[in-house]
Amino acid sequence: MGAGSTMERIARGIGPIILLGSPGAGKGTQAKRIAERYGIPQISTGDILREHVQRGTELGAQAKDVMARGDLVPDELMYGMMAWRLRQVDCERGFILDGFPRTPAQAGWLDAFLEHEFFENQHRGQCLPIVIRIDVDYNQLLRRLTGRRSCPVCGRIYNIYSQPPRVADACDVDGSRLVIRNDDREEVIRERLTAYELQTRPVAEYYECKGRLVSVNGDLPVDEVTAQIVRLIENHRVDAADGS
Ligand code: AMP
């Protein structure tokens, strides 16, 4: 399989990419990079929910307290939100999911959705989702999460230890004063890690049983993690195309 044909297939459609990893594993950062590289949307359920809370929509009102506690928003609310988002035209060539699915029930829902509503076209064989888990050491996770700061205006994320802004406490892009997200406070972090252990680990097992899980070492520097992910995506697309 030559490099030219690999690139043609990638241009035609990259398909769904699912990123798994506990809070702080770097899903958001990596998803953004992959989305830019392949020109596909990054769909972060956490960001969409926070936007609903900020806009004061009905969904936002239902999700607000659950999120502040560090619990998971009920599946039924997530399904409506995701179905709407995945039907948007920008998802046609593929998309990268960051934060969804978070439970085996959500994974089952997504499989059914992709099966019945999505990619019912000639490129179907190339559209099997690739599921990539970013593995990070527990102590590193705690450090990353307690160091996380975000810009309330543009949403950019920093880390005071590993990716500090140029000027302390100020966003590089628009100069806004950086904040600690409500759910990045230490007591909430423990809740989120527990919720991850209890509910999300089975998602990885769900995909592992289907032979669709691959993992990368998230302890490495950010660029190296990106390089590992890109390799997996491009090999996966070649494999999928070969198999169709
Ligand atoms: P995140 O930014 O991905 O850590 O998400 C922040 C919060 O949004 C989580 O702690 C949950 O309360 C909620 N959330 C995000 N994605 C999901 C999901 N797939 N299912 C349920 N709740 C979610």
Side-chain angles (χ1 to χ4, degrees), residues 23-24 27 44-47 49-50 63 66-75 78 81-82 98-103 106 148 181 183-184 188 192:
K27 286 195 303 289
S44 157
T45 45
D47 285 350
L49 286 166
R50 276 186 288 277
V66 183
M67 290 173 73
R69 284 199 305 272
D71 291 339
L72 293 181
V73 172
D75 285 345
M78 298 304 298
M81 185 181 105
M82 287 306 284
D98 151 26
F100 189 94
R102 281 272 231 290
T103 64
Q106 290 182 4
R148 192 142 85 167
R181 259 170 33 186
D183 54 0
D184 280 337
V188 179
R192 287 168 68 203

Side-chain angles (χ1 to χ4, degrees), residues 164-177:
R166 281 195 294 272
V167 178
D169 288 331
C171 179
D172 289 350
V173 179
D174 51 41
S176 305
R177 192 176 168 77

Side-chain angles (χ1 to χ4, degrees), residues 21-83:
S22 63
K27 286 195 303 289
T29 304
Q30 295 298 337
K32 204 160 274 166
R33 290 174 163 214
I34 298 302
E36 275 165 20
R37 183 182 178 104
Y38 298 112
I40 55 174
Q42 172 198 359
I43 301 179
S44 157
T45 45
D47 285 350
I48 299 176
L49 286 166
R50 276 186 288 277
E51 201 186 306
H52 276 277
V53 171
Q54 216 165 26
R55 289 193 353 241
T57 66
E58 197 182 322
L59 171 59
Q62 289 169 302
K64 189 176 178 182
D65 293 343
V66 183
M67 290 173 73
R69 284 199 305 272
D71 291 339
L72 293 181
V73 172
D75 285 345
E76 289 64 34
L77 296 180
M78 298 304 298
Y79 299 158
M81 185 181 105
M82 287 306 284

